[in-house]
Each structure stands twice: as C-alpha cells, then as structure tokens.
Amino acid sequence: MLREFIASLRLAFALVCVGVSLILGGQWLGLIPDVESVEMRARQRYCESIAINASAHVRRQQWVDLTTILRTQVERNEEILSIGLRSDLGTLRLDTGHHREMWAHFEQNDNDGDGDRVEGVRVPITLNRRSWGNVEFCFRKPASSSWAPLTEHSVYRLVGFFVIAGLASYTLFVTKIMGVFRKTQVVPDRVRRALDTLAEGLLVLDEHGQIVLANRAFTETIGIPLEDLAKKKASDLSWTLPQGSESEADETITYPWIAAIDQSELQSEQMLHYRLVDGRNRIFSVNAAPLGGDDNQRGALATFRDVTHVEEHREELEKMLGMLRSSRDEIERKNSELEILATQDALTGCLNRRAFFERFDAHWRTAHTDDTPLSCIMVDNDHFKSVNDTYGHHIGDEVLRRVSKVIRELHQDHGLVCRYGGEEFCVVFPNMTLQQAINEAEKTREAIAAIRLEDPAELTLTASLGVSELRFNPADPQELINQADACLYVAKREGRNRVIAYNTNMGTMEEASQNAATAKPKRLDISYQAVTALMSALSYRDAKTAEHSRRVAHWCSRASANVLDPAQIYVLEIAALLHDIGKVGVPDNVLNKPGSLTEQEWEFMSRNDRIGVEIVTNTFNCDELTAIISAHQAIRLQGQRSRPLSELETIEDAQVAWCAKLLTIADSYDAMISSSVYREQCTHDEAIAELRRCAGTQFDPEVVEHFASTVDQHALAVASGAFALGKQAAIQIGMNVERLAAALNQQDLRALQEHASLLAITASSCGLDSITEAANHICDITNTEDLQWTMLLRDTNELLDTARAAQSEFLRDALELETSRSFQVD
C-alpha cells in the first residue's frame, strides 16, 4: 500500500511540475498579467489626469478652486498622503498639508536607496507650450517584509496554491485510478457503474487481450451481453477493416489494443468496422493505452467511439466533392471551348474581328503609354476569286485553311492574327519596328508562295502584303489598318506577290486607292469596339432584344453571302445588330406590351427609332450604315401601319434598298419563329408562308424568295436552339458556374451566394428557367441558419449537370452554325 502511495505521489509530483512549468511559461510569454505593473500604470494615468486639470486652473489663476480639488482628492484616496504644486523656480505654490515634509522625506530616502514609507510621483505641467512646474504626489508605500516578493506577487501565490492543491488532488486521483486497474483485484461495482455512464464504449483487457471489463455503451452497441464477453478475446469479435485500407490486401488486422500491449505505446484514432448480427456495419474510432501493474503483468484500456454516422456523412461528402471536382473540370473544359468559339474564326482558326479588336486596342494603349513600336501587316490572297470560279468553293476553303495555318505558325506566338475579310488577313506585331515587320511580311509572302496543294497540283498561291507602323501617326487602330491596307492596294496595282511598306511620301494615297478600286471593293471603317459597347448596353437594357438582334444579323449574313462582298456583308451585319439600338430608351410598359400599340405609342417608338439612327450616325459616321437602318425603319413603320410598300419613298441607292429590305424580312422572320408574350411561336414553314403572303405589300417579293432559298429548317434549328443564348451569355454562365464550384470547394459561403445570385440573373435573362431555379435554390440554402453541406453539395452538382448539358448543346449547335457562316468571296 505504501509503495502504491509513493508511486502515486511521484506521478502527482510530475504532473504538478508540468503544471508549474506551464504557468511560469505563460508568465514569461506575458499571458498572465502583472498586477503591480497594472497598478503602476493606473496610478500614472491618475496623476496625469490631475496634472492636466491643475494646468487648466493655473492658466486661469483659479488657485482657490485648485486647492479645494486637490485636498478633496487627498481626502478621498487613502493611498495619497499629499499633493503639491511646485514651479520651475522651486517655489511650492500649493500644498494640501504636510506636503513639504512628505516630499523631503521621500527625496531623502530615495537618495539613500531605500524608500521608507513614501513613494513620490512628479508630473510636469506646461503653460503656452513652456514648462511651468510640476505636480508632486506623495503615496503611502505598503508595508513589506523579507517574504514580500513571494507573497505579494500574484504568479508566485498561484504557483504556491497549485503546488499544494495539485499534489493533494493528483495523488488522490492517481491512487484511485491505479486502484481501479490493478490486475490482482476484481473491478469494484462502483467503478463499473461509473464506466457505464460513459457514452463511448470501453474495454479493459489483460495482457493476453482478453476482456476484463466492458461498459454498457459497448455491449449495447455490438448487441452482445457482458457475460458473453467475459474472458473472451477482443480480437475474436467480428471486426473488419475499411475497404481500400492497406491491411485489407493482407487480410490481417493489427488491433490497436494488441499493439498497445506489445509496444507499450498509445494507439489512437484507428478505424475498425464491426459487423453486427443482423449484417449491418458499425464504424468505431479506437484508442488504446497500455496498462501495467506492480507484478509487471500488462494489459490495455481501449475506447470505442461510434463514428458510423460521421464516417458515412464524410464518405458521402467525399463522393459529392469528387463529383463536384469532376463537374468543375468539365465546366472549365467547356468554358475553354466556348472561349475559343467566341474568339476564333471557324474556318481558319484565326481571331475573329471582335476578339482581334479587343486585344489590338490593349496593345495600342500599351504602345502609346510605354512609347514602344507597333506594326501591322495586311495580307490578301492574289486572284482568289478565280480560284473559287475555277476550282469551286471547297478548294477555296482549303486555300484559306492552308494560308491561315502558315500565317498562324509564323506569327501567332508574337502577334495577333485575324481573318479580316473573306480572303484577307491582318497581323499586328507589338514591340516590332517597321523594318522588322517588313522582314516578317517577306517571310509570310515566301511561305505562302511555297504552299502546294495535292489537288489541284497545278494551283500556285501568291499574296500581296501591306505594312505600316505607329511612326506614321495613325489616329486609332483602324487608321493603322487602313494604312497597311492602302499599301496592299498599291501592291496589287504593281503586279501582286510583293510587300509594300507605308511611307510619308504616300500622300497620294487617294490616287492609289482609286487605282486599286478595280481590284477590291471599297472598305468601310466601322469600329467593332463601338459595336460591342452598344450591344452590351442593349443587353443590359433588354437581353431578349439583344439576342434577337444577333440572330437577325445571322440571317442577314447567311442570306447575303452570295450576293454582297465581305465588306458589304460586314456593314449589313452591323446594321442588323444595331437596328433596335433605339430601344434602350423605350419604357418597359411599351417595350413589353402584350398586344398592339396605340397611335401615341407608335409615335413614341418611331421617336426612339430616330434616336437609334442618331446614335449610329454619331458613333460611326458611316453613311451606308445609317442609310440601311433608316430605310429599314421606314419600311417597318409602313408595314406595321398596314400601308403598301409602294407608298414608301424610293431609295436612290439600290444596294442600300436591297439590304434594308433583307433586314426587314430577317427581322420579321426571327420575330415570328421566336416565342413572345403576345404571339404564338411559328414554325419555319409557317413563317416563310407568312412572308410570302405579305410579299408585295410589306416585303419585296424577290428578296422574300431569295431569303426563303437561303434559310432552311436546319439553320432554324441551330439558331433557335441553345445558340439563342449567345456566345457571351454562354461564356458568362460557364464562368459563374466555375467560380461557384470553386467557392463551394473552399466552403466560402459568401462567395458561393454571390456567384449563385449572378448565375441566376444571367440565366434568367437568357430564359434558362432550370438553371435560374437551381441557382436561386442554392441562394436560399446558404441563407439558412442550419446549413446542410450534403444537401448543398447535391444541389450544386445538379446545377453543374444542368449547366454542363446546356453548354454541350450550345457547343454542338454553335459549331455547326459557325461552320455554316464561313463565307467565300465570289
């Protein structure tokens, strides 16, 4: 018994030493406040506040009031013996009583090095930023003894209490615990009852791993009574390992209690599965600690925490997270495909106009900011019309693919390569001088001349190139392109298959352009950046109208492919995109009215149409573009008021008239095949029949027949399906979904709610009700106080699946549409 008590005392002493070390460590780290320092700081602030008050009274010469205040402070504060006010000349101007003697006593004892019973504090005061004197405080010094440093310091008092109380309590506690697990005695009933109150399962095992004690939580969990477990090895129970664990392949289990007995080391958080009698599995987190007695017999204490629900929940979360990561990767891949689709020409793989001008504009600003060179090359295939006429458009397509491949391989890594027109390419070189650009143009010309086709083998290719650079002071990116394009005209005029660089002596560029007019149609300068800005404004005002305008532009370019040259098609496309730009100023009650408009509302609409024409006129200064939109609005207004087309004033320019008539037909056709709040959606055949019925009154009969011959049912399926989203809307949805998945993976609820809300707004504007509903549901879940991550993961995965399906459909249809839109120049 004595040896057991001594062992318990030693263990208690070790625990106390650890505790004392922690307390002193906390004191050294500053975690335990120093009471004496706190009191000193409080005393210093107290003295300074009185000094500030005294300074104010001295400044106002209120000596009587100041004396009263200071005496009151001495009377109310037992620690203060006296307060005095002394000037810099040494004169004691104010004394609360006995201060002269108190202060002299303090100074004498302070000089001797042993403060007797008075502690002094001196606080200087100033008047008009000049030192005036000091406020002197005499405090009563507490009585002290030789044991004062140990008895008065709070940390030492805490350590003393902890040592005394800890030795007693730890000794008692360790003695009790060691008595419980002695191998030579039976477990007392009171200990058994105490262990039965534990929520976790517990086993006491002997040195052979046999069960000495099992608490109630363990027996109830596995469904075996205690009497059946007694003297049974714990390893003989129905334990299994988790699937996929390393030991499962060896078909062996290293039990934590066996390892604790053999190795005399603590075993913690090992997962074991237990198969119940009814076939169900329970999952336990097992901890085991070695036990030893005086006779060197060994055993173990094992605890079993039932984590079945937690593990199942974790496995479900991991499964959901795996699905989330897979969906996110797929979304990222499709976003990359959408980005390529939105920025590249389908036939050649070069940048399209929109992407080209966006990046060109950034390089333009950088070049002007950093004062660096910027060069431009225009490339035109020689005699391309004869290639189409002689060998057919499929050979022309192959020529464009081969030429574009050569240009991209040469310049894509250090420049911007754009398919600027039907057979014309534009290359922009940042940080490249004129001479370097000329050298690159020569390489390009030689590489194009070296192209050989297998069929027809006799076909040889050449190209004319024009080069310009910022040194010639173009006003904007378009003018730099025009300079290079003018040089290209000169190259055509001088025999083709050559490179011509711009120079300041080309003042007769107008003459060169006139001479080259027979070689190529006149180019119309329309900034695509401005078009994009206006379409963005229209999308923000009315997304459906913006998408309608994009589809109308598609119908116009499709129907005019074999009638107009590329530059004219480009102008018609822009006119189609901007024909409803005036609606940015139309109120919602008129814009979305389900029914016919009144005469007053028609006047309002016509006024906003005129505003749209003014916007286009002031933005682009292109007479042909303005004329097409104006003529279209005039034709549409006549038709909506049921007035014959013959009553419309004659348009002098035949090409403008034809484009306006085609635009009106495409506008009406898309309105009929699209769903509306006041009109049933028509089929393709019904829409064509209606156009023919109104031919001669609202529409030109010849243009109607031409439109009907170029727009078929397949084109309708492509344009009215997922492609109706629009490229930018599809990309925006994909980016929002990708960011939403990343926020969920990081468990960032604020970002998750933000991206879900943005996704709902974008999807709603595109009419994607399924995505809108799912995104709004995620917003609702994140706002609940009792957030269920499993439900959130499941709903997010469903949203990703819906978005991924929409992207796949869009990509399929959009690729078909982009391929069908690739046109050739006849």
Side-chain angles (χ1 to χ4, degrees):
M1 194 65 160
L2 180 60
R3 293 178 61 186
E4 181 179 336
F5 175 76
I6 294 175
S8 301
L9 185 60
R10 288 178 178 176
L11 183 57
F13 179 77
L15 294 175
V16 168
C17 290
V18 173
V20 170
S21 300
L22 293 177
I23 293 174
L24 294 178
Q27 168 67 16
W28 182 73
L29 293 174
L31 300 178
I32 300 177
D34 189 347
V35 177
E36 184 176 352
S37 298
V38 173
E39 292 178 351
M40 290 299 296
R41 288 194 296 269
R43 176 180 291 181
Q44 185 67 28
R45 287 194 295 268
Y46 174 76
C47 294
E48 289 178 354
S49 64
I50 294 178
I52 293 173
N53 190 16
S55 176
H57 283 75
V58 170
R59 184 179 294 108
R60 292 191 294 268
Q61 298 296 314
Q62 297 173 345
W63 299 98
V64 176
D65 294 341
L66 178 57
T67 302
T68 303
I69 292 173
L70 295 182
R71 287 178 177 175
T72 302
Q73 295 295 326
V74 173
E75 292 173 357
R76 292 188 176 185
N77 196 328
E78 295 179 355
E79 294 183 356
I80 301 177
L81 297 175
S82 67
I83 303 176
L85 184 64
R86 192 183 302 273
S87 68
D88 284 342
L89 299 177
T91 303
L92 186 64
R93 299 294 301 273
L94 191 149
D95 185 353
T96 60
H98 307 294
H99 178 74
R100 189 184 304 278
E101 294 80 5
M102 290 289 180
W103 190 258
H105 182 71
F106 159 71
E107 288 183 335
Q108 180 181 357
N109 289 324
D110 189 50
N111 293 332
D112 294 341
D114 56 356
D116 184 11
R117 60 186 181 85
V118 178
E119 291 182 347
V121 176
R122 180 186 292 112
V123 180
I125 62 175
T126 60
L127 292 180
N128 300 323
R129 299 183 180 180
R130 293 182 180 178
S131 175
W132 184 88
N134 300 281
V135 180
E136 299 171 346
F137 299 83
C138 290
F139 288 89
R140 179 178 287 107
K141 189 174 183 179
S144 61
S145 63
S146 58
W147 293 95
L150 295 178
T151 58
E152 295 177 3
H153 201 288
S154 59
V155 174
Y156 296 145
R157 292 199 302 271
L158 175 61
V159 170
F161 169 79
F162 183 80
V163 169
I164 297 172
L167 280 175
S169 59
Y170 282 155
T171 301
L172 180 62
F173 175 76
V174 173
T175 302
K176 291 288 186 182
I177 293 298
M178 292 180 66
V180 169
F181 296 110
R182 288 180 61 195
K183 297 297 186 293
T184 58
Q185 68 177 21
V186 180
V187 178
D189 289 339
R190 62 181 181 276
V191 177
R192 188 187 304 274
R193 288 193 296 271
L195 295 178
D196 285 341
T197 62
L198 298 177
E200 292 185 353
L202 182 141
L203 290 180
V204 179
L205 308 171
D206 62 15
E207 66 273 16
H208 303 294
Q210 292 182 335
I211 300 175
V212 176
L213 172 67
N215 70 345
R216 181 182 301 170
F218 185 81
T219 59
E220 290 179 351
T221 302
I222 66 174
I224 300 178
L226 176 60
E227 52 270 19
D228 294 340
L229 291 174
K231 297 303 179 182
K232 189 175 183 178
K233 285 190 175 183
S235 304
D236 294 337
L237 300 178
S238 302
W239 301 107
T240 60
L241 282 172
Q243 293 183 356
S245 62
E246 296 179 358
S247 300
E248 185 186 21
D250 303 332
E251 298 183 354
T252 60
I253 302 177
T254 302
Y255 296 103
W257 51 86
I258 298 298
I261 295 173
D262 294 342
Q263 303 172 15
S264 298
E265 293 181 354
L266 177 67
Q267 309 293 318
S268 55
E269 299 299 331
Q270 180 172 335
M271 295 296 174
L272 288 180
H273 288 215
Y274 187 89
R275 188 180 301 277
L276 301 177
V277 178
D278 58 5
R280 293 181 297 119
N281 281 336
R282 307 299 295 178
I283 305 174
F284 292 99
S285 174
V286 184
N287 296 319
L291 298 175
D294 295 336
D295 53 1
N296 291 327
Q297 291 181 339
R298 304 183 64 81
L301 173 68
T303 61
F304 300 82
R305 182 164 55 93
D306 190 351
V307 293
T308 305
H309 176 71
V310 175
E311 284 297 305
E312 291 176 349
H313 183 68
R314 182 186 62 80
E315 291 176 1
E316 184 178 2
L317 284 177
E318 289 182 353
K319 182 180 179 181
M320 290 291 182
L321 286 172
M323 296 172 59
L324 177 66
R325 285 189 289 268
S326 177
S327 298
R328 185 183 61 189
D329 294 341
E330 182 67 14
I331 290 290
E332 290 177 355
R333 186 183 65 80
K334 291 186 181 298
N335 281 344
S336 299
E337 295 178 10
L338 285 170
E339 183 65 24
I340 293 174
L341 180 65
T343 59
Q344 291 186 1
D345 175 67
L347 178 65
T348 63
C350 301
L351 293 174
N352 57 28
R353 280 176 173 263
R354 181 189 62 81
F356 171 72
F357 276 112
E358 286 177 356
R359 302 179 189 185
F360 188 7
D361 186 61
H363 287 302
W364 176 272
R365 292 194 300 268
T366 301
H368 280 78
T369 302
D370 301 340
D371 194 21
T372 56
L374 180 70
S375 301
C376 174
I377 295 178
M378 291 295 294
V379 184
D380 188 277
N381 293 304
D382 294 330
H383 304 295
F384 188 72
K385 180 178 182 300
S386 63
V387 174
N388 280 331
D389 294 341
T390 305
Y391 302 104
H393 286 284
H394 66 286
I395 298 298
D397 287 345
E398 182 61 24
V399 168
L400 290 178
R401 280 191 286 266
R402 294 288 298 275
V403 170
S404 64
K405 181 181 179 182
V406 167
I407 299 175
R408 284 189 289 108
E409 290 177 348
L410 286 174
H411 308 305
Q412 192 166 251
D413 293 339
H414 54 274
L416 305 178
V417 180
C418 168
R419 185 187 180 189
Y420 199 76
E423 78 283 12
E424 197 170 48
F425 299 88
C426 182
V427 185
V428 171
F429 297 109
N431 300 312
M432 189 172 289
T433 63
L434 180 64
Q435 186 56 50
Q436 291 173 326
I438 293 173
N439 295 337
E440 294 294 325
E442 282 292 344
K443 293 179 184 178
T444 305
R445 185 189 63 80
E446 293 171 358
I448 294 175
I451 295 176
R452 293 294 180 268
L453 300 179
E454 295 181 1
D455 184 24
E458 70 276 6
L459 179 60
T460 58
L461 303 177
T462 61
S464 300
L465 297 91
V467 186
S468 186
E469 198 241 343
L470 280 185
R471 68 173 65 181
F472 302 113
N473 301 319
D476 51 38
Q478 186 65 56
E479 185 174 343
L480 180 62
I481 294 174
N482 292 346
Q483 290 177 354
D485 199 46
C487 297
L488 187 150
Y489 292 155
V490 175
K492 290 282 189 182
R493 183 191 62 185
E494 295 184 359
R496 296 182 172 83
N497 192 23
R498 65 192 65 237
V499 176
I500 298 296
Y502 192 84
N503 62 74
T504 54
N505 295 325
M506 278 184 160
T508 58
M509 292 303 293
E510 296 182 1
E511 179 183 353
S513 299
Q514 292 173 0
N515 294 334
T518 57
K520 296 189 68 172
K522 179 182 178 182
R523 182 179 307 283
L524 297 172
D525 299 333
I526 299 176
S527 172
Y528 203 85
Q529 298 97 313
V531 176
T532 303
L534 291 177
M535 287 304 297
S536 297
L538 182 59
S539 297
Y540 181 80
R541 177 63 181 85
D542 186 6
K544 292 184 177 180
T545 299
E547 294 305 324
H548 161 74
S549 299
R550 293 187 179 99
R551 292 194 300 270
V552 172
H554 162 67
W555 302 130
C556 289
S557 64
R558 188 182 186 92
S560 61
N562 296 322
V563 178
L564 305 177
D565 60 51
Q568 295 167 342
I569 294 176
Y570 176 62
V571 175
L572 178 57
E573 279 189 292
I574 301 305
L577 286 172
L578 301 178
H579 75 283
D580 276 339
I581 192 63
K583 287 186 178 180
V584 296
V586 179
D588 290 340
N589 63 329
V590 178
L591 186 62
N592 301 320
K593 182 179 181 180
S596 301
L597 300 180
T598 64
E599 188 69 22
Q600 183 180 2
E601 289 169 341
W602 277 121
E603 290 296 332
F604 190 86
M605 288 291 291
S606 63
R607 182 169 66 252
N608 281 277
D609 285 342
R610 290 192 297 272
I611 293 175
V613 173
E614 292 179 5
I615 292 174
V616 173
T617 302
N618 296 328
T619 303
F620 302 102
N621 194 25
C622 178
D623 295 338
E624 185 175 349
L625 177 63
T626 303
I628 293 174
I629 297 178
S630 299
H632 156 68
Q633 292 178 353
I635 295 173
R636 183 177 61 179
L637 187 61
Q638 293 290 76
Q640 289 168 341
R641 296 185 176 182
S642 302
R643 297 177 62 181
L645 187 64
S646 57
E647 295 184 13
L648 185 67
E649 295 182 2
T650 304
I651 302 174
E652 295 181 358
D653 192 328
Q655 179 177 303
V656 169
W658 190 88
C659 291
K661 294 173 183 177
L662 177 62
L663 174 55
T664 304
I665 293 171
D667 185 20
S668 301
Y669 172 79
D670 189 77
M672 286 187 284
I673 65 172
S674 303
S675 59
S676 174
V677 293
Y678 56 88
R679 183 194 304 115
E680 291 291 335
Q681 183 177 357
C682 297
T683 64
H684 168 75
D685 293 335
E686 291 172 345
I688 294 297
E690 180 65 17
L691 291 175
R692 286 172 173 160
R693 187 184 68 81
C694 298
T697 55
Q698 297 183 31
F699 311 116
D700 186 286
E702 294 183 2
V703 183
V704 167
E705 292 303 321
H706 174 76
F707 183 84
S709 65
T710 54
V711 176
D712 52 19
Q713 186 68 33
H714 173 72
L716 171 62
V718 172
S720 61
F723 188 76
L725 286 173
K727 293 177 183 177
Q728 296 306 312
I731 293 175
Q732 187 63 40
I733 288 176
M735 294 301 296
N736 284 334
V737 169
E738 183 179 335
R739 292 165 182 164
L740 185 145
L744 182 60
N745 193 37
Q746 299 171 1
Q747 296 188 0
D748 188 344
L749 286 179
R750 182 176 180 181
L752 181 67
Q753 188 175 21
E754 178 183 350
H755 294 309
S757 177
L758 292 175
L759 178 61
I761 295 173
T762 305
S764 175
S765 66
C766 299
L768 297 177
D769 296 335
S770 58
I771 296 180
T772 304
E773 182 179 354
N776 285 328
H777 184 58
I778 290 176
C779 290
D780 295 338
I781 293 177
T782 55
N783 283 326
T784 58
E785 295 182 359
D786 187 15
L787 178 62
Q788 298 292 330
W789 280 100
T790 304
M791 181 184 300
L792 183 59
L793 282 169
R794 182 173 58 251
D795 292 343
T796 304
N797 275 307
E798 292 177 359
L799 173 60
L800 294 182
D801 290 339
T802 304
R804 189 169 62 248
Q807 283 183 313
S808 299
E809 183 181 0
F810 172 80
L811 280 168
R812 182 182 63 252
D813 293 343
L815 285 172
E816 295 179 8
L817 179 60
E818 286 296 320
T819 302
S820 67
R821 290 185 64 180
S822 298
F823 56 81
Q824 303 297 327
V825 178
D826 292 330

